[in-house]
């Protein structure tokens, strides 16, 4: 395991840190700023800022320069993730497009798709959503029922998607559609790229318990999609989806560790201000979660080392997802224990708890989405350790 970065990577850190310091307004870095903004206004500010970041050369860090990226190393990407958190930079408004769609288009897209998708996506000119989950197809994605019927040069799509991030702000959606009538399970599915502004596509927000509406549901009613807007081969969408999801595997967890470590310090301050830091049970829980956090840091550096050496982590990525999600949940359970029944209040003893509420509630979801902890343990057991089903 290599715990160091090269001189070139450290030079990149200095350059990025200087740009972030000059470009992020001071008020944006104050706790609670984003939580107190209207959702549409928050999205607009983040979209504009991220476009400027891309134009300044600080987007697509590992992407080849031919696609508008920086052509950087995995170490530079790790530094980018870390510095963005340390600077309290705005969250990306195009996470699924940047992390999953763009690398897939680079790998298997047509020349026309590469030209039309990658650059506008990088500059946030087009916001992309992912349409995988359905009311009857969550963990079992192959049970999807959204259908696309061929009509000349188009597919006519009918069906519903749910838990779609940024549904109400999305311009386009890459989605799984059953395009071969009578096909079952993984066969006969295509990944279609659909314009969400056309007639026949309706996005409805889903209100979360935090009050936000980061998710939505999308309804297709005779929506038309040119057959040329299929990513990968028609009927071979399952293979395309597996390739798309594989691009998550290079993530090392450094961004998660950096953010969680800062949140840990904030929770410790809450404990001190409420006088709970002298409680031996609370102190023990804080110590245990701090150990978990440091284990996550070391695991993240191990993964980064493996990636820099050109190793394909494959199913070992399940271990990273399992570790960071369980650690995050444990961290916020300590917060709930410290605040107790006051966890539902906006403030306690002049402490503004609103910025922390959202994270506490969000923590309940992280062991479910992206593959539940149960699924990740099964994958690790069977595919990494070689245990029987």
């Amino acid at each position: 395991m290599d715990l160091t970065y090269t001189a070139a990577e450290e030079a990149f850190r200095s350059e990025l840190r200087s740009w972030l310091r000059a470009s992020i307004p001071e008020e944006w870095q104050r706790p609670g700023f984003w939580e107190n903004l209207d959702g549409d206004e928050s999205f607009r500010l983040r979209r504009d800022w991220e476009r400027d970041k891309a134009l300044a050369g600080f987007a697509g860090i590992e992407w080849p320069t031919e696609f508008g990226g920086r052509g950087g190393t995995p170490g530079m990407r790790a530094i980018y993730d870390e510095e963005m958190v340390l600077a309290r930079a705005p969250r990306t408004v195009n996470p699924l497009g940047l992390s999953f769609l763009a690398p897939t288009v680079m790998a298997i897209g047509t020349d026309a798709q590469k030209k039309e998708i990658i650059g506008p996506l990088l500059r946030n000119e087009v916001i992309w959503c992912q349409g995988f989950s359905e009311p009857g197809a969550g963990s079992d994605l192959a049970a999807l029922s959204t259908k696309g019927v061929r009509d000349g040069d188009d597919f006519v799509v009918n069906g519903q998607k749910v838990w779609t991030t940024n549904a109400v702000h999305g311009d386009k959606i890459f989605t799984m559609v059953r395009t071969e009538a009578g096909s079952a399970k993984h066969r006969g599915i295509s990944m279609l790229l659909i314009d969400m502004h056309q007639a026949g596509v309706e996005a409805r927000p889903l209100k979360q318990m935090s009050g936000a509406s980061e998710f939505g549901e999308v309804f297709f009613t005779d929506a038309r999609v040119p057959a040329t807007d299929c990513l990968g081969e028609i009927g071979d969408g399952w293979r395309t989806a597996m390739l798309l999801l594989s691009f998550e595997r290079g993530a090392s967890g450094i961004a998660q560790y950096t953010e969680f470590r800062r949140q840990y310090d904030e929770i410790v301050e809450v404990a001190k201000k409420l006088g709970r830091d002298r409680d031996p049970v609370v102190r023990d829980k804080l110590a245990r979660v701090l150990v978990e956090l440091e284990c996550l840091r070391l695991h993240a550096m191990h993964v980064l080392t493996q990636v820099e050496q050109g190793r394909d982590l494959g199913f070992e990525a399940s271990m990273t997802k399992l570790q960071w999600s369980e650690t995050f949940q444990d961290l916020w359970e300590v917060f709930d224990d410290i605040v107790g029944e006051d966890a539902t209040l906006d403030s306690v003893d002049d402490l503004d708890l609103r910025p922390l509420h959202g994270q506490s509630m969000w923590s309940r979801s992280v062991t479910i989405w992206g593959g539940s902890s149960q699924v990740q343990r099964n994958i690790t057991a069977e595919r990494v350790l070689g245990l029987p089903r």
Side-chain angles (χ1 to χ4, degrees), residues 60-213:
I61 304 303
E62 284 188 271
W63 292 13
T65 55
E66 65 183 286
F67 294 119
R70 196 176 181 103
T73 65
M76 287 181 180
R77 170 59 193 273
I79 287 171
Y80 168 87
D81 290 341
E82 183 179 25
E83 292 298 325
M84 288 283 285
V85 174
L86 292 174
R88 294 183 181 270
R91 291 181 297 110
T92 177
V93 296
N94 225 349
L96 298 169
L98 290 167
S99 298
F100 300 130
L101 178 63
T104 307
V105 174
M106 291 179 199
I108 64 171
T110 65
D111 289 341
Q113 288 171 343
K114 292 174 182 177
K115 181 178 180 180
E116 294 170 2
I117 294 173
I118 297 175
L121 191 160
L122 188 66
R123 297 185 295 272
N124 275 341
E125 294 164 6
V126 178
I127 303 299
W128 283 88
C129 301
Q130 174 181 294
F132 279 22
S133 296
E134 297 184 2
S139 297
D140 184 12
L141 178 58
L144 64 89
S145 59
T146 297
K147 293 181 173 60
V149 178
R150 191 67 180 259
D151 181 23
D153 293 332
D154 297 341
F155 284 104
V156 179
V157 178
N158 286 277
Q160 178 188 356
K161 298 294 178 177
V162 73
W163 309 125
T164 304
T165 302
N166 277 344
V168 296
H169 293 118
D171 298 306
K172 294 187 177 182
I173 183 169
F174 55 97
T175 187
M176 301 283 278
V177 176
R178 192 168 296 282
T179 52
E180 293 182 12
S183 61
K185 283 297 185 179
H186 308 88
R187 298 174 180 172
I189 296 173
S190 301
M191 184 175 292
L192 301 183
L193 311 173
I194 302 178
D195 182 354
M196 296 184 69
H197 297 305
Q198 65 170 298
V201 180
E202 179 187 5
R204 302 176 189 172
L206 291 171
K207 184 73 73 174
Q208 299 160 236
M209 63 180 177
S210 64
S213 295

Side-chain angles (χ1 to χ4, degrees), residues 306-343:
Q306 299 297 300
V307 171
E308 287 185 321
Q309 292 174 354
R311 184 176 171 217
D312 181 6
L313 296 176
F315 293 108
E316 290 184 38
S318 291
M319 295 160 58
T320 300
K321 168 59 167 62
L322 182 64
Q323 187 173 8
W324 77 250
S325 61
E326 296 277 347
T327 299
F328 184 59
Q329 204 164 81
D330 290 347
L331 171 64
W332 285 98
E333 285 181 356
V334 174
F335 168 77
D336 292 337
D337 289 342
I338 291 171
V339 182
E341 62 186 12
D342 292 333

